[in-house]
């Protein structure tokens, strides 16, 4: 079969550990045999980020802004243990936080539902999609340890020389302090991306924060969302028979657990981090969750929501063939190729992206899956290599394998 042509490259961001191994395998078995792949490649392995003093991460983020589409592998966020493990010069910042700051986007996390795997909350009939604000708060914080008693204040010094101060604490003993910020423009861009996503997908939308406690910071989020809904989106939502509601974050958690699913849950940065893992775990596996970062201009980066699956990688290094689920990585590639196809108007590439997703789902539905899913579906687990070979078979000749 003639390979499918690509007009414009997409940004390929490689990463670390087990996901790096799977990245190579997915490309070799599921993409390169079918597509004449064009990418602009960035190596975000922890060693290369350290070598380039993290310049490579910034270049990769800028490349997405230039080419419009990126696909990213999971990467290690270095802490002191990783610094020692990989003999790093520095403790590097989180590459995801760096790229999110460059795109100033919203991350949409959507579970990949399969009929064979029942959610741990039986009432959930439809996926719950998380819209996570991707800028600021604790991910752009300033922190300090305090060793002796003293006063902590927030000080704002305007460029015009004005000054405002607010006491934070009268520290009686040693402790810790933290300063966080956000921008009205970034919150507006976040709200806009969520409203547009809800309209596109015809999903009711919920935004939750803690404005009873944080009466300035979280209240600003609530006000911006309410304002934009009233002035720009209320009628559009009504025409699609959907609505927008604000709730306190604790109330939203209780509502989500009791719901049937099928809504967009807009979350502040940290809440989105935590809630998306909860939703992925309830839906079956951390590995069955896709993550798309969308900038206000519509530039997209596709990735898996899970990390580098370190524990499986250590087993791989010992010579084992672990049963790590590549589904979200495959869906990331499918999402990136599909977006590239939409921007370039290349129909065959769009069709291939759909088939790639279809072949993955069909493989799982016919009883071939990795260990994370196999237990709850009552199937024999395959290792990652066997699982990917099955998908390649379905893609190649449409084979539907017998259920084990
Ligand atoms: P993780 O890689 O998401 O893995 C946590 C556990 O979840 C695994 O040990 C495994 O459980 C299960 N799991 C996750 N993905 C799986 C998959 N595809 N197939 C099967 N099981 C899967 O989280 P972590 O171990 O806390 O983090 C490892 C590294 O990833 C860290 O250095 C962190 O900084 C980084 N990280 C990167 C990203 C990103 O780049 N987007 C996101 C999160 C974390 P079992 O061991 O029980 O099988
Ligand atoms: Mg997380």
């Amino acid at each position: 079969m003639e390979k499918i042509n690509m007009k414009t490259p997409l940004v390929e961001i490689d990463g670390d550990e087990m996901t790096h191994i799977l990245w190579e395998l997915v490309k070799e078995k599921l993409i390169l045999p079918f597509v004449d792949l064009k990418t602009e490649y960035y190596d975000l392995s922890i060693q290369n980020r350290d070598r380039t003093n993290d310049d490579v991460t910034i270049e990769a983020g800028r490349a997405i802004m230039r080419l419009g589409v990126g696909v990213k592998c999971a990467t290690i966020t270095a802490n002191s243990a990783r610094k020692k493990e990989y003999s790093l010069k520095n403790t590097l910042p989180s590459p995801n936080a760096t790229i999110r700051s460059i795109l100033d986007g919203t991350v949409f996390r959507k579970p990949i539902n399969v009929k064979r795997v029942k959610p741990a909350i039986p009432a959930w009939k439809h996926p719950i999609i998380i819209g996570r604000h991707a800028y600021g708060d604790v991910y752009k914080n300033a922190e300090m340890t305090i060793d002796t008693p003293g006063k902590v204040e927030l000080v704002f010094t305007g460029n015009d020389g004005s000054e405002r101060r607010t006491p934070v604490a009268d520290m009686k003993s040693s402790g810790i302090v933290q300063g966080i910020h956000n921008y009205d423009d970034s919150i507006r861009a976040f709200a806009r991306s969520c409203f547009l996503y809800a309209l596109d997908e015809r999903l009711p939308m919920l935004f939750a924060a803690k404005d009873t406690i944080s009466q300035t910071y979280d209240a600003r989020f609530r006000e911006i969302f309410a304002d934009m809904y009233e002035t720009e989106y209320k009628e559009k939502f009504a025409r699609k028979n959907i609505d927008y509601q604000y709730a306190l974050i604790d109330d939203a958690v209780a509502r989500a657990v009791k719901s049937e699913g099928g809504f967009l849950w807009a979350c502040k940065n940290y809440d989105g981090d935590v809630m998306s893992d909860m939703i992925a775990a309830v839906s079956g596996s951390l590995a069955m969750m896709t993550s798309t970062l969308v900038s206000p201009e519509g530039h997209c980066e596709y990735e898996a929501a899970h990390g580098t699956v370190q524990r499986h990688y250590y087993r791989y290094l010992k010579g084992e063939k672990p049963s790590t689920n590549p589904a979200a990585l495959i869906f990331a590639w499918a999402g990136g190729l599909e977006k590239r196809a939409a921007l370039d108007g290349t129909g065959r590439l769009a069709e291939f992206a759909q088939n790639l997703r279809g072949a993955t789902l069909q493989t799982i539905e016919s009883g071939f899956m990795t260990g994370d899913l196999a237990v709850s579906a009552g199937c024999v687990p395959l290792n990652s290599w066997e699982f990917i070979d099955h998908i390649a078979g379905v893609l190649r000749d449409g084979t539907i394998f017998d259920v084990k």
Side-chain angles (χ1 to χ4, degrees):
M1 200 184 73
E2 203 189 317
K3 282 199 196 178
I4 298 162
N5 270 320
M6 282 179 70
K7 256 193 208 165
T8 320
L10 53 73
V11 183
E12 176 186 351
I13 305 178
D14 207 341
D16 293 302
E17 301 192 318
M18 201 59 218
T19 41
H20 167 69
I21 305 295
L22 295 177
W23 191 260
E24 300 273 296
L25 201 62
V26 165
K27 261 179 33 179
E28 181 203 326
K29 302 264 180 162
L30 302 180
I31 298 176
L32 293 174
F34 308 97
V35 180
D36 194 8
L37 187 67
K38 286 200 181 96
T39 72
E40 207 174 285
Y41 181 86
Y42 292 86
D43 173 12
L44 259 64
S45 65
I46 193 152
Q47 297 92 339
N48 197 42
R49 280 181 278 139
D50 191 51
R51 201 176 305 127
T52 62
N53 296 321
D54 214 28
D55 285 348
V56 66
T57 308
I58 294 162
E59 282 164 22
R62 289 185 180 151
I64 298 176
M65 294 301 278
R66 180 162 39 80
L67 292 172
V69 191
V71 185
K72 182 180 170 291
C73 181
T75 42
I76 292 170
T77 299
N79 53 19
S80 51
R82 297 300 210 153
K83 190 175 171 196
K84 204 166 149 208
E85 180 182 357
Y86 286 92
S87 313
L88 306 176
K89 292 184 286 189
N90 305 300
T91 310
L92 300 154
S94 152
N96 286 336
T98 304
I99 295 174
R100 277 178 211 140
S101 295
I102 295 171
L103 267 70
D104 186 14
T106 301
V107 176
F108 293 98
R109 293 217 165 134
K110 185 176 181 181
I112 305 167
N113 283 0
V114 283
K115 291 188 202 77
R116 275 191 164 261
V117 182
K118 300 281 175 249
I121 297 179
W124 286 9
K125 295 201 176 86
H126 314 285
I128 295 175
I129 293 139
I130 296 284
R132 171 181 171 191
H133 188 203
Y135 180 82
D137 302 353
V138 73
Y139 300 85
K140 274 268 171 201
N141 63 0
E143 301 184 320
M144 207 192 270
T145 51
I146 305 288
D147 301 323
T148 51
K151 282 191 176 40
V152 180
E153 285 182 295
L154 277 183
V155 182
F156 169 77
T157 315
N159 290 341
D160 59 1
S162 62
E163 195 180 272
R164 281 166 60 198
R165 286 170 180 269
T166 302
V168 173
D170 197 353
M171 304 284 289
K172 305 270 184 276
S173 62
S174 65
I176 41 183
V177 286
Q178 180 183 65
I180 60 170
H181 77 280
N182 227 301
Y183 294 111
D184 290 347
D185 279 350
S186 179
I187 301 168
R188 262 186 226 110
F190 162 48
R192 175 160 297 112
S193 308
C194 290
F195 286 128
L196 291 175
Y197 189 97
L199 279 171
D200 258 9
E201 303 278 324
R202 210 162 175 241
L203 290 170
M205 173 174 153
L206 182 69
F207 171 61
K210 193 72 180 176
D211 65 313
T212 43
I213 300 298
S214 171
Q215 295 185 3
T216 302
Y217 198 103
D218 278 23
R220 178 62 66 89
F221 278 79
R222 187 204 65 225
E223 286 157 11
I224 288 177
F225 270 73
D227 210 43
M228 285 174 65
Y229 182 62
E230 287 299 323
T231 54
E232 292 178 55
Y233 296 104
K234 197 171 181 176
E235 279 172 26
K236 291 181 183 136
F237 269 55
R239 280 203 287 278
K240 295 215 166 178
N241 216 11
I242 50 177
D243 67 350
Y244 161 73
Q245 289 182 29
Y246 171 77
L248 281 173
I249 184 72
D250 32 358
D251 181 30
V253 173
R255 273 205 228 177
V257 168
K258 285 189 269 177
S259 76
E260 285 191 353
F263 61 92
L264 171 65
W265 182 358
C267 289
K268 289 178 62 206
N269 210 344
Y270 174 78
D271 297 339
D273 190 355
V274 177
M275 290 309 156
S276 64
D277 277 18
M278 185 272 283
I279 284 171
V282 172
S283 304
S285 160
L286 272 187
M288 295 294 277
M289 181 78 133
T290 61
S291 181
T292 310
L293 173 63
V294 185
S295 82
E297 300 86 359
H299 303 317
C300 294
E301 182 208 53
Y302 298 83
E303 63 170 333
H306 59 79
T308 60
V309 211
Q310 185 183 5
R311 281 202 291 267
H312 294 207
Y313 181 61
Y314 292 160
R315 296 212 295 270
Y316 170 80
L317 290 180
K318 283 190 194 145
E320 273 180 48
K321 282 200 160 176
S323 181
T324 317
N325 187 344
L329 287 177
I330 297 170
F331 270 56
W333 272 104
L337 292 173
E338 191 169 52
K339 176 77 180 174
R340 190 69 274 166
L343 291 175
D344 292 350
T346 41
R348 279 186 72 210
L349 188 63
E351 206 175 282
F352 172 76
Q354 275 190 23
N355 285 346
L356 181 57
R357 267 196 294 260
T360 307
L361 292 176
Q362 200 177 91
T363 300
I364 299 172
E365 295 295 15
S366 31
F368 295 91
M369 56 191 86
T370 43
D372 54 323
L373 301 176
V375 179
S376 63
C379 296
V380 180
L382 303 182
N383 69 39
S384 308
W385 286 257
E386 294 164 336
F387 179 67
I388 288 174
D389 277 342
H390 272 283
I391 300 172
V394 177
L395 256 186
R396 243 188 335 263
D397 50 37
T399 310
I400 301 172
F401 294 94
D402 289 329
V403 180
K404 254 186 187 172

